[in-house]
Structures are given as structure tokens and as C-alpha cells.
Amino acid sequence: MSGPPELEVRIARPEDADGIVALVVDRIGDEDGPEARLTLDDPRFGPGGWTVAVAGDRVVSTLGLFPTRTRIGSVTVPSAAIEFVATATEFEGKGLVRRQLDLAHRISSERGDLVQWMVGIPYFYRRFGYEYAVPTPDTIDITAQSPGGADDVSFRVASIDDIDHILALQDHMGSSAMIVAEHHRLMWSWLIASPVYRVVVATRDDTPVGMMRIYYDESTPLVFDVAAADPGTFRSLLGEACRGRAGATVAMRPGLEDFATNMTSRTNDGYAYYARVPNPADLLEAIRPELNLRLTGSGLEIDDGELLLSLYRASIRFEIKEGQLGPVATGGRVQAPVSAGGSGVPPDLIAHLILGPLGALELERRHADVLLGQQRDLMDALFPSQTVDVQSWVWP
Ligand SMILES: CC(C)(COP(=O)(O)OP(=O)(O)OC[C@H]1O[C@@H](n2cnc3c(N)ncnc32)[C@H](O)[C@@H]1OP(=O)(O)O)[C@@H](O)C(=O)NCCC(=O)NCCS
């Protein structure tokens, strides 16, 4: 007698595509199915960008692993964003997402990704090494009467031909933040094609000067990924977003702050983006040029010696010579880093330290096991409070 089919976790294949879409619709929502389909039908991505769990030939759990990039000051590192995580109801609690995350993290590491980003289920992903490192930005509620703005701006729905302009506008916007997680070109092509969003380009004399992505909730449109070259364009974009509606909700980002100084109806939902730094030493080594720029800019007098950063179960050291960090070295457990002349940051706050807005000093103030010791000034120079701009497929 044959028992229930074995549950296999693997990279998806073309024959899984319909099952993936059906499961996404069933467990995540009707509007998510067509978006999953766009990625599956795209020869640049396809089923090979997904993992599945299958019972026989039935897809019972899914996960999409998407490329993205994270800019940390002057250095950009390859990264991933995970979306469309779902398990068929009767297969829940069997470790299928855990197994797929293991596989996805392995694939992502093999690709050289140094950060994984995620939006989603409260608490769940903390179990897999994700930290709530970056709070969601404020939103502003505007009414159709309020925006004003330049009247020499025209609008059109974005097409695939706009992607270079979109990337340039997003780059311009991102330059206001110290840390930027940005959409990949592929992602923009799906967002433009998605029936869920309207991606709008603003032009002046036929030159793109701004853009936004609008999600039409039943009630108030949510406007995000806004990029604008000047305050007049920003306000015009908001006017366009409100067209035919009573108002809209606009997601802020660091580059918009100067344009929105007199917009007061701010709210924050208190949620956050998840980030995972699978190998802190590799990420720190990749951003060492940026860390050294920070040291140069700090004006600190730094003695030759060593920077010790204990993650308690493991440790990271840099030689310091002439005010600059040398190549990273990894070591074992350092339980009392402060008495060893170093600093301690627990591994589940490392994404907060490197990617989050708070900086080392504030983390020390908030967490009993962040201990900066005699290296406090150095750690402050390396990991200051910073502006962060995260783009995600869905709004958190
Ligand atoms: C949340 C969901 C993806 C979990 O899938 P799953 O296959 O049951 O997850 P796993 O069995 O791999 O769970 C791994 C562990 O997390 C636990 N877990 C499951 N859901 C959890 C939750 N919401 N919060 C905390 N822990 C949870 C499991 O009990 C298991 O614990 P264990 O390893 O200690 O035994 C699934 O319930 C689902 O599809 N939900 C609806 C779809 C959804 O909301 N998707 C996200 C939209 S972006």
C-alpha cells in the first residue's frame, strides 16, 4: 500500500507554474496571482526564480526569490527580496517554508547576495534570522484640494521603455539616503505590467521629471516609490494621484522630506521591514571602503591597533593602521568584549547596526547586550545614525 506522497522541496520547474499561481491566489490573494504569473512567464526570471514544495505533482508551498541591490553609502551589494511565501492550508506546520527558506538562502548566498529583505508576516521571519531593522516610513494623508504644484507637468502611464528613466529618477531620489534597498530593473518591468499598480511618469517638455506607483485600495489610493526632481513636480504628482478621488496617502522617503515640510498630517503604522545579514563578516568586508571613508570623514584621531566586534558566539576583527581598517578576520566566541578592548553586538542586531537608522550609540542605549566599551567613538563613526530608503514590492 502506498502512503501519502513524499514532500519534496526544490527549485520550481515550468510544470509547477499553474500550481504556484493557484496557491498564491488561494493563500495570499486574488490580485497576487497575476503578479506571480508575470514573473513565471518572464524568460529573464521564470520558475527557476522560485522554490516549491510538492506532494507528488501538486504544488503545496511556494516562495519567490527576487534580485535586488542594497547601497550602503558608496558601496552597492547584491541582495535578494523574498515574496509570495505560502503553504496550502492542509500542509501547514510541516516545515515546508522553513525548508524552502533554507534552500532560498543557500541559492542567494551562492549568488553572492549579502543581504536579504522581506516584508511580511509578523514575527514569523525573525525565526529565520530576519530583523525588523528598518521602520516603515511615515505616510502623509492629502486631500484632493491640497497638493497644488506646477502646471507645466504632464502625466502618462509608464511603459517598459521608461525603465531607464525610472531607474535614473529612483537613483536621484535614493541619493538622499545613506542606505538604499532599490528595485531591480526586472522588478520595474513587472510593476509596470502589474494590474495591481499604476506606475505613472511625470514629464516636463517630454522629459521625465518624476514618477510614482499607485495602489488603488478600495478607499484611498496609496502612493509610493515617489521620485521627483523638485517640489513643484512632487505636488503635481500628488494632485494626479488624487484625481477623481477625495484624497490619497503618500509614503515618504528621505529625498521627499524637503518637499513636504508643511504637510503635517503624518502617521506611522509602527511596522518595519525585515532584513537578514547572513554573513556579517562578508558584508563588513564588502563595505570596508565605505567604513574607511567614514573614518576619514570623522576627524577622529585613531591609534594603530585593532577593532574587535564580538557577536558573542563569533567575532570579527580589523587591523587598524594609519586610521584605516585592514581586511576583516573572523574568530571564535568572545564573551566579554569590553574587557578585551572591543565592542559587543548580538548577531540578531547586526542588520540594525549596518542597515538600520539608529546607529551604534542608540542601539547601545536600547539594548543591554550592545556594549561599545572603549571603542565607543570609533563605533559611532563607523555606524552612525543614518537615513534609510527601502523599496519593496508590496507596502509592508
Ligand atoms: C505563514 C505560512 C507561510 C507558514 O507556512 P508553513 O509551511 O506552515 O511554515 P513552516 O511549517 O515551515 O513553519 C516553520 C515554523 O514556524 C512556525 N510558524 C508557522 N506560522 C507561524 C506564524 N505565523 N508565526 C510564528 N511561527 C509560525 C511553525 O509552527 C514552525 O515552527 P517549528 O519549526 O518550531 O515547528 C502559512 O501559514 C501561510 O501560507 N499563510 C498564509 C499565507 C500568507 O500569509 N503568506 C504571506 C503573505 S506575504
Side-chain angles (χ1 to χ4, degrees):
M1 237 176 65
S2 61
E6 201 184 315
L7 295 169
E8 185 191 0
V9 166
R10 56 164 170 75
I11 295 172
R13 299 173 188 149
E15 62 269 25
D16 300 321
D18 290 348
I20 292 173
V21 173
L23 185 58
V24 166
V25 167
D26 181 40
R27 291 310 329 262
I28 304 181
D30 287 341
E31 63 182 21
D32 299 85
E35 295 204 307
R37 176 68 74 188
L38 280 170
T39 78
L40 290 160
D41 287 350
D42 190 330
R44 299 166 300 174
F45 192 77
W50 290 70
T51 67
V52 286
V54 290
D57 57 7
R58 178 180 168 201
V59 173
V60 296
S61 191
T62 65
L63 179 156
L65 177 68
F66 299 98
T68 176
R69 303 194 317 163
T70 307
R71 184 172 64 69
I72 299 169
S74 53
V75 177
T76 299
V77 298
S79 310
I82 290 176
E83 304 277 351
F84 300 108
V85 176
T87 297
T89 315
E90 64 273 39
F91 288 86
E92 283 181 311
K94 296 182 187 299
L96 295 182
V97 166
R98 179 186 290 284
R99 287 171 61 193
Q100 285 181 94
L101 281 169
D102 285 348
L103 175 58
H105 290 156
R106 204 163 61 239
I107 295 168
S108 183
S109 284
E110 283 165 10
R111 285 179 190 164
D113 296 340
L114 296 174
V115 180
Q116 284 111 18
W117 294 94
M118 178 92 89
V119 166
I121 311 167
Y123 170 71
F124 183 54
Y125 296 106
R126 285 173 63 175
R127 304 196 55 191
F128 307 101
Y130 288 80
E131 300 172 33
Y132 277 124
V134 180
T136 15
D138 287 350
T139 55
I140 297 182
D141 291 324
I142 52 165
T143 59
Q145 291 76 38
S146 60
D151 47 21
D152 57 347
V153 178
S154 314
F155 301 95
R156 60 180 159 76
V157 172
S159 78
I160 293 297
D161 297 335
D162 286 310
I163 289 186
D164 284 339
H165 297 305
I166 287 176
L167 290 172
L169 287 162
Q170 292 298 329
D171 257 10
H172 168 77
M173 227 49 213
S175 63
S176 300
M178 198 63 186
I179 306 289
V180 183
E182 56 193 15
H183 289 319
H184 192 276
R185 169 181 290 274
L186 268 179
M187 193 79 90
W188 276 117
S189 66
W190 301 326
L191 294 173
I192 287 169
S194 166
V196 178
Y197 300 106
R198 192 158 73 99
V199 179
V200 174
V201 173
T203 59
R204 191 178 280 123
D205 301 327
D206 285 336
T207 304
V209 289
M211 63 152 302
M212 63 187 162
R213 175 161 57 123
I214 309 174
Y215 174 67
Y216 290 98
D217 201 348
E218 312 85 54
S219 48
T220 312
L222 174 67
V223 187
F224 56 136
D225 290 341
V226 178
D230 56 85
T233 306
F234 175 58
R235 288 180 167 273
S236 307
L237 281 163
L238 302 192
E240 172 65 13
C242 292
R243 197 157 49 84
R245 306 268 171 157
T249 298
V250 185
M252 292 303 291
R253 51 195 304 196
L256 297 177
E257 290 296 344
D258 287 348
F259 302 162
T261 41
N262 53 355
M263 296 184 171
T264 49
S265 65
R266 283 189 177 232
T267 41
N268 189 289
D269 64 8
Y271 203 56
Y273 296 98
Y274 283 114
R276 178 174 181 270
V277 175
N279 188 329
D282 283 358
L283 180 58
L284 289 171
E285 177 61 22
I287 65 166
R288 193 157 56 87
E290 167 63 20
L291 297 177
N292 279 329
L293 280 178
R294 293 178 188 181
L295 291 184
T296 305
S298 72
L300 277 181
E301 292 225 357
I302 306 166
D303 295 335
D304 285 358
E306 182 184 66
L307 175 85
L308 164 64
L309 176 59
S310 172
L311 309 178
Y312 296 107
R313 285 167 65 194
S315 54
I316 290 169
R317 292 171 195 266
F318 296 92
E319 190 187 357
I320 304 177
K321 226 170 167 182
E322 296 171 6
Q324 299 283 279
L325 304 180
V328 75
T330 54
R333 176 155 58 90
V334 177
Q335 181 177 311
V338 170
S339 38
S343 305
V345 175
D348 54 1
L349 288 174
I350 202 73
H352 280 75
L353 182 75
I354 302 173
L355 303 170
L358 296 176
L361 296 187
E362 182 60 22
L363 287 172
E364 184 181 46
R365 210 179 61 75
R366 293 184 187 201
H367 299 278
D369 51 4
V370 174
L371 301 166
L372 302 181
Q374 298 301 312
Q375 294 181 155
R376 185 169 287 106
D377 291 346
L378 192 54
M379 287 291 284
D380 180 31
L382 291 169
F383 304 107
S385 60
Q386 56 194 358
T387 45
V388 189
D389 190 353
V390 177
Q391 292 192 308
S392 54
W393 190 321
V394 291
W395 181 249

